[in-house]
Amino acid sequence: MNTYIEKLHWRYATKKFNPEKEVSDENLEILLESIRLSASSYGLQPYEVIVIKDPEVINKLKSSAFGQPQITDSSCLLVFAYRTDIDQAYLDKFIENNSKTRNKPVEEFNGLKEMIQNSVLTFSQEMKEVWASRQAYIALGNLLTAAAELKIDACPMEGFNPDEFDELLHLESKNLKSVALTTIGYRSEKDELQNEKKVRKSKEELFTRI
């Protein structure tokens, strides 16, 4: 079996972490870089990730995640939050970053700018937020794959109260809304799920080949 596929078989949504085993700073930075380099529509990256290691903050958040133990037993908690301010100012900053990064005049990106103005910026606020949250999930998927490559465990989570997280982390003032969580760390020997086979649809059920 291909080693990449083997690692995807190895990973699972770890429910029981070893609280004594920490993810190194070096590996955490690799995981964060995998998020930064993730694909997003137009490359706009309409989200941010709050990286939380402070035990006091994590303990406050735990009750808003229904007391799930992986929140406090894992090495680090990542909160994926989408932006609510995708507007002309956000687009202008994005175009300036393109110009600076690629060392080209801003004018060379007028076509890209107009394309986004005629698509994303025409969305209703509700549509923008749905679109932005979907982009955050792409980044989350990239993180899970990178974690598997490093043999670091992760547990993506939607089981939390976003409004309470937003309030505790003061996200509204930053034009952010939380949409998903991921805990990262190392599995406990007591987590029975690590020895179970991965259950997925068959290729025939999942894929339509035309």
Side-chain angles (χ1 to χ4, degrees):
M1 184 186 294
N2 177 277
T3 54
Y4 173 74
I5 298 299
E6 283 180 352
K7 287 176 180 176
L8 294 184
H9 275 281
W10 172 86
R11 71 148 299 276
Y12 68 102
T14 304
K15 297 297 190 293
K16 294 180 182 178
F17 284 85
N18 180 352
E20 304 300 322
K21 196 170 181 182
E22 293 280 326
V23 173
S24 69
D25 290 341
E26 179 183 2
N27 280 337
L28 176 59
E29 290 307 313
I30 292 172
L31 294 178
L32 297 181
E33 185 70 353
S34 77
I35 296 172
R36 194 180 75 87
L37 295 176
S38 179
S40 66
S41 182
Y42 299 109
L44 278 167
Q45 296 177 290
Y47 49 80
E48 290 185 18
V49 180
I50 298 87
V51 183
I52 307 173
K53 298 189 74 174
D54 186 325
E56 185 177 345
V57 175
I58 289 173
N59 277 313
K60 288 181 180 178
L61 293 170
K62 185 176 182 178
S63 62
S64 297
F66 310 109
Q68 296 179 80
Q70 57 267 45
I71 294 288
T72 47
D73 289 347
S74 61
S75 179
C76 184
L77 172 65
L78 304 181
V79 179
F80 285 75
Y82 63 85
R83 299 205 63 88
T84 61
D85 61 342
I86 307 304
D87 53 17
Q88 187 64 50
Y90 187 89
L91 174 56
D92 290 343
K93 186 176 181 180
F94 169 72
I95 294 299
E96 289 171 9
N97 190 29
N98 271 264
S99 173
K100 180 180 178 181
T101 301
R102 295 180 174 174
N103 195 29
K104 293 180 180 180
V106 170
E107 292 73 23
E108 287 202 23
F109 299 94
N110 282 343
L112 175 62
K113 184 176 182 178
E114 290 176 10
M115 191 183 306
I116 297 171
Q117 286 173 325
N118 294 327
S119 56
V120 177
L121 293 198
T122 67
F123 296 169
S124 67
Q125 183 62 26
E126 181 181 4
M127 286 179 63
K128 283 181 182 177
E129 293 193 18
V130 170
W131 167 81
S133 67
R134 288 173 176 169
Q135 307 309 308
Y137 274 98
I138 295 173
L140 171 57
N142 219 45
L143 166 70
L144 297 179
T145 303
E149 177 67 25
L150 295 173
K151 287 289 187 83
I152 293 172
D153 290 294
C155 183
M157 305 166 66
E158 290 183 310
F160 71 105
N161 186 316
D163 291 337
E164 291 181 7
F165 263 64
D166 294 351
E167 183 178 355
L168 286 164
L169 296 172
H170 311 290
L171 297 188
E172 185 178 357
S173 64
K174 301 173 184 177
N175 298 306
L176 294 169
K177 286 185 178 180
S178 56
V179 66
L181 315 177
T182 306
T183 52
I184 60 171
Y186 295 95
R187 63 189 64 175
S188 167
E189 293 180 359
K190 297 178 181 179
D191 194 343
E192 299 86 358
L193 284 174
Q194 64 189 296
N195 299 314
E196 298 289 342
K197 287 187 176 181
K198 192 177 291 295
V199 179
R200 294 292 186 270
K201 289 182 178 180
S202 68
K203 291 181 180 180
E204 290 72 25
E205 292 175 300
L206 188 60
F207 303 119
T208 298
R209 304 176 190 265
I210 299 175

